[in-house]
Amino acid sequence: MEAGNIFYTTIPWNLKRSFTRNPCNFRRFIRASANLQSQRGYKGPKPSKDWVADWVTNNDDTVRSLPIYVGGVSLLAVLFNRTVSGIAPVADASRSCLVVNPAKVHHCGVECRMISSHLPDFIVSELLWAWESLSSATCSRSLVVVYDSICILQIGVAAQSPNDGEVVTVDVGKLMQGSVYQGVMRSGTQSYLANLFLYPGRSELPFLPSNTQAVILQPLGDKGLAIIGGDTIRGFTTSDQSWIAFIGEKLDATLAKYSNTVSLVVEDGISK
């Protein structure tokens, strides 16, 4: 029965196996669970919600048209305030409290109207048109026109002679030798003396009233000069100066055509 014998081998039940684990090669996978965080309670900072940005995003059309409505309401409020306060609805720049308008003065002198006697009628008409335009639209109160070394026009208020009370006429020779005349003719551009009292050359203009406040010296080409006296300090605006320059060019163009053929003689008499 040796062949049928069964050999039994005892296997120990407390078998222990030792496994070597390399900590460097061991990979761990951790999956964050929102539910797990909510169950445990998240204590970190939470993102804040910008309600204004969300509202603007959701109401884009309304936001774009909002400035129009705000501007309209503001305009109505201003008009209502002006109406209640008694202020004119339309602002007038001349009444602005930021600009102090100098007071006008009454020129001390006598009225005169001296015109060259041999000027053609259409030139006289143009000279008178220039004076009427200046005196009605600006602060001009005196006008003297010297052309081709002759005073062809002295009109408006003139200085009064202390001896006989008559008009102080223009001494053309003395005027042309002075620094005022020479300076303007050399530059060929308009000169504006906004405050005549501060200008030392005022003594060269004795034919103007003694209290003339401002003067514009407008060259008439290279042959003449227009002297415009005003009754207000800084009374001539930028628009006035531009307009006077245009009138000077027009007068020069008219006078230049006839200065060689027409005798420009100053009339001695004074007509009013």
Side-chain angles (χ1 to χ4, degrees):
M1 300 281 308
E2 294 179 359
N5 292 335
I6 299 175
F7 296 95
Y8 294 92
T9 304
T10 303
I11 301 175
W13 292 101
N14 295 326
L15 181 63
K16 296 181 179 180
R17 296 183 179 180
S18 176
F19 296 94
T20 303
R21 182 183 302 173
N22 188 353
C24 297
N25 297 329
F26 181 74
R27 298 180 180 178
R28 296 181 181 181
F29 298 90
I30 301 176
R31 177 177 298 176
S33 175
N35 294 332
L36 180 60
Q37 292 179 357
S38 61
Q39 292 175 0
R40 294 181 179 178
Y42 177 68
K43 299 181 180 180
K46 297 181 180 180
S48 60
K49 191 172 184 180
D50 193 343
W51 297 100
V52 177
D54 293 342
W55 184 87
V56 172
T57 303
N58 297 331
N59 301 272
D60 183 67
D61 295 336
T62 303
V63 173
R64 290 178 182 272
S65 59
L66 188 61
I68 299 177
Y69 297 109
V70 173
V73 173
S74 301
L75 178 60
L76 292 176
V78 172
L79 293 177
F80 177 76
N81 180 58
R82 286 179 174 270
T83 302
V84 174
S85 305
I87 304 175
V90 180
D92 184 1
S94 63
R95 298 180 180 179
S96 174
C97 60
L98 298 179
V99 180
V100 178
N101 292 326
K104 295 182 179 180
V105 300
H106 180 72
H107 274 178
C108 299
V110 292
E111 293 285 340
C112 74
R113 182 188 174 98
M114 302 180 67
I115 308 173
S116 175
S117 59
H118 292 82
L119 289 175
D121 291 340
F122 72 94
I123 294 183
V124 174
S125 298
E126 186 163 335
L127 290 171
L128 294 178
W129 165 83
W131 165 241
E132 292 173 0
S133 300
L134 291 172
S135 60
S136 61
T138 69
C139 67
S140 303
R141 295 296 175 265
S142 306
L143 173 62
V144 171
V145 177
V146 176
Y147 198 85
D148 205 9
S149 302
I150 298 174
C151 179
I152 63 174
L153 177 67
Q154 183 177 6
I155 196 169
V157 183
Q160 186 176 16
S161 174
N163 298 326
D164 52 12
E166 297 294 329
V167 172
V168 177
T169 58
V170 180
D171 187 339
V172 178
K174 188 176 181 180
L175 173 66
M176 295 179 64
Q177 294 175 2
S179 60
V180 173
Y181 185 94
Q182 293 291 334
V184 174
M185 298 309 294
R186 279 197 302 265
S187 65
T189 59
Q190 182 186 100
S191 178
Y192 178 29
L193 312 179
N195 189 347
L196 187 60
F197 290 104
L198 301 179
Y199 191 74
R202 66 182 181 276
S203 59
E204 300 178 18
L205 308 172
F207 45 84
L208 293 179
S210 59
N211 61 342
T212 299
Q213 304 294 297
V215 169
I216 286 184
L217 305 168
Q218 175 61 47
L220 305 178
D222 57 355
K223 289 187 176 183
L225 179 68
I227 303 172
I228 304 149
D231 60 1
T232 308
I233 295 176
R234 296 181 297 275
F236 293 101
T237 66
T238 303
S239 299
D240 294 340
Q241 297 173 54
S242 300
W243 188 43
I244 290 173
F246 169 76
I247 292 178
E249 293 176 359
K250 190 174 187 302
L251 289 177
D252 176 51
T254 302
L255 292 171
K257 295 178 182 180
Y258 298 92
S259 61
N260 296 327
T261 58
V262 178
S263 175
L264 303 180
V265 181
V266 177
E267 184 180 2
D268 294 334
I270 299 175
S271 58
K272 297 183 179 180

